Amino acid sequence: MKFPTFMTRISHHDDVSANRKSPDEPAAFTSAKKVIFVLDSVGNWDDIVDLIVADAPFTCQADTLAEVKTIKDWYDWMANFKATIAPDASFTVKSTTWDDERKICTHSAVYHATHTGEGGPVPATGRKASTDYYYEMEMNGDGKVVKMWKIWNDGHCLKQLGWA
């Protein structure tokens, strides 16, 4: 069994770190880190559109995200959440790894948000959420994302925000 060959950390505060490259880091890993950074920070979609195959699927077994079917859908969902519900939304990276044999990038982090915006199922609660999540991204031979999976306990997040 081979273990991931590269590990790195990126920070939501520093755009340069999203592009930081370890020595001999595969281009696909660099691309995956950039996609993650833009998705989670709700950066510019145009900066990553060429790093993702068209209509690449997004999968998450969370009721809140039942209608999110593609990575672009996920970006749009995050952009709406940040714009209308939690303008302070941010993330703290735990780890980002690369499995060269399988061309898989994994990412674990904590998402932070405060419901201060007018969106959501109830008026702004002012309550904060800090919830763990995990991504897995499969890359193709061209270094593009072909699939993305997310593991997230949406019920825990909704409860912290005062919605459940």
Side-chain angles (χ1 to χ4, degrees):
M1 175 178 200
K2 287 187 178 180
F3 291 95
T5 53
F6 293 94
M7 275 188 107
T8 191
R9 294 180 68 85
I10 59 176
S11 165
H12 71 286
H13 295 293
D14 181 5
D15 183 58
V16 174
S17 65
N19 298 313
R20 187 176 305 138
K21 189 173 178 179
S22 300
D24 303 317
E25 180 176 287
F29 185 33
T30 304
S31 295
K33 291 188 302 180
K34 184 174 184 177
V35 169
I36 290 166
F37 181 81
V38 169
L39 291 173
D40 284 358
S41 65
V42 190
N44 186 347
W45 175 256
D46 291 337
D47 289 345
I48 61 171
V49 69
D50 292 336
L51 301 176
I52 304 167
V53 298
D55 298 319
F58 175 90
T59 303
C60 183
Q61 295 177 342
D63 291 340
T64 303
L65 303 177
E67 300 301 317
V68 176
K69 303 296 183 194
T70 67
I71 295 172
K72 177 63 165 100
D73 292 345
W74 171 235
Y75 173 84
D76 291 342
W77 190 94
M78 287 287 286
N80 180 63
F81 187 87
K82 188 167 185 163
T84 65
I85 297 170
D88 71 336
S90 65
F91 65 102
T92 304
V93 175
K94 291 181 175 183
S95 70
T96 303
T97 65
W98 176 252
D99 180 332
D100 198 50
E101 181 181 344
R102 293 171 185 82
K103 306 292 185 246
I104 300 282
C105 177
T106 64
H107 172 79
S108 65
V110 180
Y111 189 73
H112 309 280
T114 308
H115 183 197
T116 57
E118 295 181 19
V122 298
T125 64
R127 294 185 55 184
K128 296 180 182 299
S130 290
T131 59
D132 296 312
Y133 64 96
Y134 170 87
Y135 290 145
E136 189 168 292
M137 299 173 82
E138 181 180 333
M139 309 297 283
N140 67 14
D142 295 328
K144 293 185 176 190
V145 181
V146 295
K147 295 178 190 172
M148 183 174 182
W149 297 266
K150 180 174 183 158
I151 298 172
W152 175 53
N153 185 340
D154 60 333
H156 183 67
C157 182
L158 299 179
K159 192 175 194 179
Q160 287 182 354
L161 292 173
W163 299 359

